[in-house]
């Protein structure tokens, strides 16, 4: 083999090595660029999560930052003695601030300060005021001469629950019908005996 052939082979090896090195450098730069973009996206998402407050779209007025509170309360709604089923999928986790979850319909989960029961019912598309309980399909159960809508918080009668902000282990009864005192006591006992899902 002559010197010329050796030089040509060495030159080919050198060219191959330079091309390979350039290709690897290019791949490393592309990978670094992709990782940089991912880091920026993750950083931005983290910043949004950490700075999230009551201005998040759909949040209740006067609510604190998500995570500023975590309280559980039991609720029982009875219409003519029949329980209203909040465990149905159409009533599960409709708002991150206050909701029912885990296919349970008896425990309210609140995740921020300043969130009221009125907002819970509003997020479920249920009408509620001091006189009427209104289903999603428009059926109304309003206080009249024969039947009444009654509210109890921790066993005590109240005129309205819409502005009430639950505390841990509260018990809320909403009852519509012509119940006697004994029947209301039975409903309150049923509510008290329910286990909260935390």
């Amino acid at each position: 083999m002559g010197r010329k052939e050796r030089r040509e082979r060495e030159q080919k090896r050198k060219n191959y090595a330079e091309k390979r090195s350039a290709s690897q450098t290019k791949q490393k730069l592309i990978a670094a660029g992709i990782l940089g973009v991912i880091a920026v996206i993750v950083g931005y998402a983290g910043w949004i999560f950490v700075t999230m407050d009551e201005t998040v779209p759909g949040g209740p007025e006067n609510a604190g930052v998500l995570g500023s509170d975590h309280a559980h309360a039991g609720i029982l709604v009875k219409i003519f003695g029949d329980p209203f089923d909040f465990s149905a999928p159409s009533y599960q986790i409709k708002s991150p601030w206050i909701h029912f979850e885990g296919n349970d319909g008896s425990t309210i989960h609140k995740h921020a300060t300043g969130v009221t029961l009125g907002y819970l019912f509003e997020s479920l598309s249920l009408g509620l005021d001091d006189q009427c309980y209104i289903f999603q399909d428009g059926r109304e159960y309003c206080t009249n001469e024969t039947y009444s809508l009654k509210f109890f918080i921790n066993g005590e009668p109240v005129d309205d629950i819409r502005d009430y902000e639950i505390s841990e282990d509260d018990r809320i009864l909403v009852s519509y019908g012509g119940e006697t005192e004994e029947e209301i006591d039975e409903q309150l006992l049923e509510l008290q005996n329910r286990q909260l899902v935390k």
Side-chain angles (χ1 to χ4, degrees), residues 61-73:
E61 201 173 311
N62 302 319
V65 176
L66 277 173
S68 60
D69 192 8
H70 192 195
H72 305 89

Side-chain angles (χ1 to χ4, degrees), residues 64-118:
V65 176
L66 277 173
S68 60
D69 192 8
H70 192 195
H72 305 89
I75 188 167
L76 177 62
V77 174
K78 292 247 181 167
I79 307 292
F80 292 119
D82 294 326
F84 187 87
D85 186 14
F86 291 107
S87 67
S90 57
Y91 300 111
Q92 297 287 299
I93 310 182
K94 295 300 176 188
S95 166
W97 280 270
I98 189 168
H99 56 251
F100 295 96
E101 66 184 29
N103 297 321
D104 170 64
S106 60
T107 304
I108 300 168
H109 299 258
K110 182 181 75 157
H111 296 282
T113 57
V115 182
T116 64
L117 288 173

